[in-house]
Amino acid sequence: MFFVAGARNTKFREVDILDKKKTVTALKPGEDRAILLGLGMILSSVMMYFVLGITILRSYADSVWTEEGVCIVLNSTVTADMNCSYSCGSDCWRISRYPCLQVYVSVNNTGRVSRLSHNEETRDASSECFYVPRCQKDSTAMHAMILNISERLKANQQVPCYYDPSEQQEMTLLIRLYDHSAVFHSLLWPSCTLAGGALIIMMVKLTQYLSRLCEEIGKLKT
């Protein structure tokens, strides 16, 4: 009876060892795929950080319009018509015209009068006009758009704006292309991807550590 019981116990141990080996063998490919997924997420987040660094973050860092204030609209008038070109097909460009709206404001009731521009892109495209619409064939539509903007500015009188505290740039901006909120939201998703990839790798390593720990405890019991 003793030998039969010993043989059965040995057989059960062998079956248990085989089951553990099968489980470990099945886990390894899954762990490898999880680690590759984590590394892929980390790599993609690094690439997104790089792209954001040469686009949004650079524009945000180079901008001198860092102080937010209140601008009182002093004058909003259409001065002249400006030329622009629009595409009419392959290698075809035609000329259209839009009205140039000039807006002068007083920043924070300081008596400092400056010209208001819509954003950095508008300022780079035209240093004279508040807003540069997308050029199109229908110049009447662009004219109506500019007049609507002018009437809104006259009705509001006070608008939030951004200005250069060092006063090196006389022009002020109505909005910034990339403010604090835009930078935060642009960095949110790469940061979540990076944290998710690192968490996956940490979980796999923790699982492997606990598996080895259980094997060592099992060996000590036997």
Side-chain angles (χ1 to χ4, degrees), residues 82-119:
M82 307 293 290
N83 293 330
C84 65
S85 59
Y86 64 93
S87 176
C88 55
S90 179
D91 297 330
C92 175
W93 294 90
R94 291 183 179 177
I95 302 298
S96 185
R97 298 175 70 84
Y98 68 91
C100 178
L101 175 65
Q102 290 188 351
V103 180
Y104 289 92
V105 296
S106 175
V107 182
N108 292 338
N109 286 325
T110 58
R112 173 191 168 191
V113 178
S114 63
R115 186 177 294 170
L116 184 66
S117 185
H118 184 241
N119 54 32

Side-chain angles (χ1 to χ4, degrees), residues 2-221:
F2 176 76
F3 292 108
V4 173
R8 287 180 179 177
N9 292 333
T10 305
K11 186 176 181 180
F12 288 149
R13 287 177 184 174
E14 290 178 354
V15 172
D16 188 30
I17 291 172
L18 288 174
D19 290 339
K20 289 182 178 179
K21 288 184 177 179
K22 289 180 180 179
T23 304
V24 172
T25 305
L27 285 175
K28 283 184 177 179
E31 291 173 350
D32 293 340
R33 286 193 293 268
I35 290 177
L36 288 176
L37 175 62
L39 291 176
M41 292 175 65
I42 293 175
L43 181 60
S44 63
S45 64
V46 171
M47 293 177 64
M48 285 189 287
Y49 278 131
F50 175 75
V51 173
L52 292 173
I54 63 177
T55 54
I56 295 178
L57 295 180
R58 176 178 292 181
S59 300
Y60 176 79
D62 292 342
S63 179
V64 297
W65 295 276
T66 56
E67 291 293 329
E68 185 175 2
V70 177
C71 288
I72 300 176
V73 179
L74 302 177
N75 189 14
S76 175
T77 56
V78 174
T79 57
D81 288 340
M82 307 293 290
N83 293 330
C84 65
S85 59
Y86 64 93
S87 176
C88 55
S90 179
D91 297 330
C92 175
W93 294 90
R94 291 183 179 177
I95 302 298
S96 185
R97 298 175 70 84
Y98 68 91
C100 178
L101 175 65
Q102 290 188 351
V103 180
Y104 289 92
V105 296
S106 175
V107 182
N108 292 338
N109 286 325
T110 58
R112 173 191 168 191
V113 178
S114 63
R115 186 177 294 170
L116 184 66
S117 185
H118 184 241
N119 54 32
E120 291 93 338
E121 285 186 350
T122 304
R123 186 255 179 190
D124 294 336
S126 174
S127 59
E128 298 180 0
C129 305
F130 166 76
Y131 181 73
V132 178
R134 182 179 179 182
C135 193
Q136 53 183 307
K137 181 180 180 180
D138 189 2
S139 59
T140 304
M142 292 190 291
H143 193 274
M145 182 191 302
I146 297 298
L147 289 181
N148 185 29
I149 294 174
S150 179
E151 291 300 324
R152 287 187 178 184
L153 289 174
K154 290 178 181 178
N156 290 330
Q157 287 296 316
Q158 292 186 357
V159 293
C161 60
Y162 295 90
Y163 64 94
D164 179 13
S166 64
E167 298 186 359
Q168 295 180 358
Q169 290 287 343
E170 296 182 356
M171 186 173 291
T172 57
L173 302 180
L174 181 64
I175 60 173
R176 294 180 65 184
L177 283 175
Y178 307 114
D179 55 3
H180 300 286
S181 177
V183 172
F184 171 76
H185 287 95
S186 64
L187 294 177
L188 178 62
W189 294 113
S191 301
C192 291
T193 305
L194 178 63
L199 182 61
I200 289 174
I201 294 176
M202 289 175 60
M203 292 297 292
V204 172
K205 294 299 182 182
L206 179 61
T207 303
Q208 292 175 347
Y209 170 75
L210 293 176
S211 177
R212 289 194 299 267
L213 186 61
C214 290
E215 289 180 3
E216 291 178 0
I217 293 174
K219 290 178 181 179
L220 290 175
K221 288 183 178 180

